[in-house]
Amino acid sequence: MSESHSGEASGTRDDDSVRRNYLNASYSVISWLFTTDHKRIALLYLIPVTLMFFVGGVAITIQRLSLMSPQGALVEGDTYNKLFTIHGVIMVFFFLVPVIPTVLGNFFLPMMIGAKDLAFPRLNLLSWYLYMLGAVWTLVAVLAGGVDTGWTFYTPYSSASSHTNVAMTMLGVVISGFSSLLTGLNFIVTVHWLRAPGLHWFRLPIFVWSTYATSFIFLLAVPVLAMAFILVVLERILQIGVFDPALGGDPLLFQHLFWFYSHPAVYIMILPGMGVVSEVIPCFARKQLYGYHFVAFSSFAIACLGFFVWAHHMFVAGLSLYAALIFSSLSFLVAIPSAIKVFNWTSTLYKASITFEAPMLFSLGFVALFTFGGMAGLYLATLGMDMHIHDTYFVIAHFHFIMVGGMVLGYMAGLHYWWPKMFGRLYSDWWSRFTAIIIFVGFFLTFIPQFVAGYNGMPRRYYMYAPEYQVWNVMSSAGASILGVGYVIPLIYLPWSLWRGKPAGRNPWGATGLEWQTPSPPPTDNFDSTPVVVRPPYQYHFQKAQNEP
Amino acid sequence: MFNEVALFPEAASTTAQQVDRLFLFLTAVCGGVGLLVAALLISFAVKYRRRPGEKGNPPETPASRPLEWFWTIAPIGFFAVMFLWGAEVYISAYRPPDDAATVYVVGKQWMWKCQHPEGQREIDTLHVPLGRPTRLLMTSEDVIHSLFIPDFRIHMDLLPERYTSVWFQPTRIGTYRLFCSQYCGTQHAGMVGTIVVMRPDDYQRWLNLSAEGSMALQGRKVFLKYRCVSCHSGDGIARCPSLEDLYGRPVALSNGRVVPADDEYIRESIVYPSAKIVAGYENIMPTYKGQISEEEIFQLIAYLQTLGKGETPVRVEEFPPPTGTPPITTKDWPP
Ligand SMILES: [Cu+2]
Ligand SMILES: [Cu+2]
């Protein structure tokens, strides 16, 4: 950390470092596997979620290497198809969807509202077991034999044509879906019931708002996905005719059901990241979040409107003209709340006093990449434009800007912001800033060439391609190697900090927010006494700066 | 090391020019707003960075309500233009001009099979004349595929058991790539083809090279082969409705509805004959599902377009009318 941040505002560090906390409360394996402490469960998620990220990462590494040559340098046909399915399924359902809610949400949602735990601690543990079951189940399915449908599982390919482990993989996803569903339910009840005295709705931090909105999407969308997937499984096993036209089904029905979940899932994957950034930017700008009410309500606008745009994935799928017109116009509407957030984050920096520690660099990267990727989404919402770039690398680049540029950077921002609170230690300031810059640069180099390849017509999911696309693929693969390095470095300096990091103290960033008022790492019950909230969030102008005694 | 590096694909159809104009507009607007946001972010980050020795936190800047409402409302204006312009391009690509010639395309894992009304058939290649609006009527034999011609900027899925169509008007002589862009299994990446745009007179010469009779003529053979004529005999003793002058006309159904006899209707009547019963007739026709190929159905459609009053072939009496599943199996269409 920079010098200015190593000071301790509350002056209780010595007491904190020896007191009991949630980490040293007990050490047995049983005490972890049967814990109902939301903080321990968050760490239980942190490990498998990180592993899944690297499983998905290995798959894409092999693909990107192979795509250096137009004929496919390493893998072809079935192997390549299984690899992109592993990448998509693992990254979407087992990393991007759960990561911020289960790790950062689990840990900090109760603390940010001044609660001792979630409303249903044992349900929370059940969610973890469901996630683990779904993850192990799916890993077995995709590694032993594999699946080649892509993460979209389009029928009738998935239901009638593919001879791979489709049914088992889809069941694994359904199991983990119920984990998300229960977590969402838990969060909603927690926010309603367990807010500290004085913490009324418009004093909630934006991270709580956006996690709350995300939870609603879980509740409404996951059952539809589960239903659609179970129908595909039944069709494969029992030959019931739901999706396969040869059996009298409708292949487009699956696309409707799938995107009814999976478009809102895009917001499951981005809203929590927006929440993190709304915490981090005011903290390092030392400034109140600009337009709090607009930012809070825009989370809800996104969650609601997000349910009415699903068919924008089907503009060239044989949709009727009027359906296309309606879904296109609604898709533009959902861009407005996102634009509101970007303008407010930018305005928060106005007349601020900004420092650029790693969480801030990740957050600024988030804003830049999310804005860029969001505007690429406007191209895809434009009917006449989508007609050309649909299912090309333009789409790939667009949603990676949102999901990797947005969500992964948002997650990194949150992890770096709250790491000192979670473990009571500070990580290397230099390495973390370096990593933020490496990831940002690597990201741009990876995905900008894909926009060009996409507009030039390179379709997605091609293990071999026309030679004129080679230059863009080589550039993209080169960028990806930089990006990959950026993802590996934190695996070294973050664990390192657990042993060698300087003690963090209660509030190393001088942040407002209840979670910073308790020792780091927090005691099992979070707060010695229930905090009372008297002010809206982000009142940095009342906050003492970190370097003042 | 690299073949022809292009930043922009060739624009070889009328649609391509429209799409590229739209692209430039979108890029101008998004680029402008993007640069504005980037400039603000960077200049704020530089100007308001915390200086050494700076004490305390800066005072509050109350949010401006009018500003908030401004940037909530203002994007709607831009979005409305994008939406309307995009819709205009899409609609014009959705509705083929009346003089468009139809080419019939069947997709299957992993090839494109095309038939021209003049009788030419080809695989993974499609010859079209320069300047003529060409409509593709498409279906799939197995899973969903998608026809994508980047240089024409068009894209449309091929669905099993359903017809979709797309049209284009080539504006340049040349060969262009055709991709399947909807993932369809092992050799999805190999489901590529070529579009050859020729001068109209070259195209005529090509058509005459090895034509085996027009598609309608081939459809007539199919009509006889499956003994459709036994029942749809068009004479006084016919047990099924006459097909003469049927194509494109309204048909009164037994449930009181009236539907146009379009491509979809004809296909459905062959594959699912009991779905729509013509008023005044019995539900007696057996299904030809699994018996007749998608190409043959296209040939029948082409034939019915030409079948005028009194042109139904004479019934050959020694065949009994089909009652169960027709016994004839069809060979798959030439490799
Ligand atoms: Cu979507
Ligand atoms: Cu295909």
Side-chain angles (χ1 to χ4, degrees), chain A residues 148 287 344 353 387 390 462, chain B residues 50 61 68 90 155 180 183:
Chain A
D148 71 343
K287 195 82 182 163
N344 280 300
S353 174
M387 213 166 65
H390 186 83
Y462 266 33
Chain B
R50 193 170 182 84
T61 315
E68 291 282 355
Y90 184 79
H155 215 129
C180 174
Y183 174 69

Side-chain angles (χ1 to χ4, degrees), chain B residues 268-294:
Chain B
E268 185 185 57
S269 300
I270 297 169
V271 180
Y272 301 105
S274 51
K276 297 194 174 87
I277 306 296
V278 178
Y281 288 89
E282 296 288 299
N283 180 9
I284 55 167
M285 178 170 159
T287 173
Y288 284 78
K289 188 179 162 101
Q291 311 294 319
I292 188 166
S293 72
E294 295 293 346

Side-chain angles (χ1 to χ4, degrees), chain A residues 84-142:
Chain A
F84 72 64
T85 307
I86 292 177
H87 175 68
V89 169
I90 298 288
M91 286 300 201
V92 171
F93 297 113
F94 295 94
F95 178 75
L96 290 166
V97 165
V99 63
I100 292 189
T102 61
V103 178
L104 301 177
N106 246 325
F107 202 111
F108 290 104
L109 185 87
M111 296 189 69
M112 291 170 97
I113 62 172
K116 285 183 177 175
D117 205 319
L118 288 173
F120 307 116
R122 273 172 294 189
L123 189 68
N124 196 21
L125 184 64
L126 175 66
S127 296
W128 183 75
Y129 277 101
L130 283 174
Y131 173 82
M132 291 305 287
L133 177 66
V136 171
W137 182 301
T138 307
L139 272 183
V140 170
V142 297

Side-chain angles (χ1 to χ4, degrees), chain A residues 417-438:
Chain A
Y417 180 55
W418 281 309
W419 184 270
K421 175 55 62 182
M422 295 166 83
F423 298 105
R425 301 286 178 156
L426 295 170
Y427 46 80
S428 160
D429 186 42
W430 191 90
W431 279 105
S432 57
R433 294 188 201 218
F434 175 71
T435 302
I437 292 165
I438 285 286

Side-chain angles (χ1 to χ4, degrees), chain A residues 35 40 59 106 453 458:
Chain A
T35 182
R40 285 192 161 204
N106 246 325
M458 178 165 171

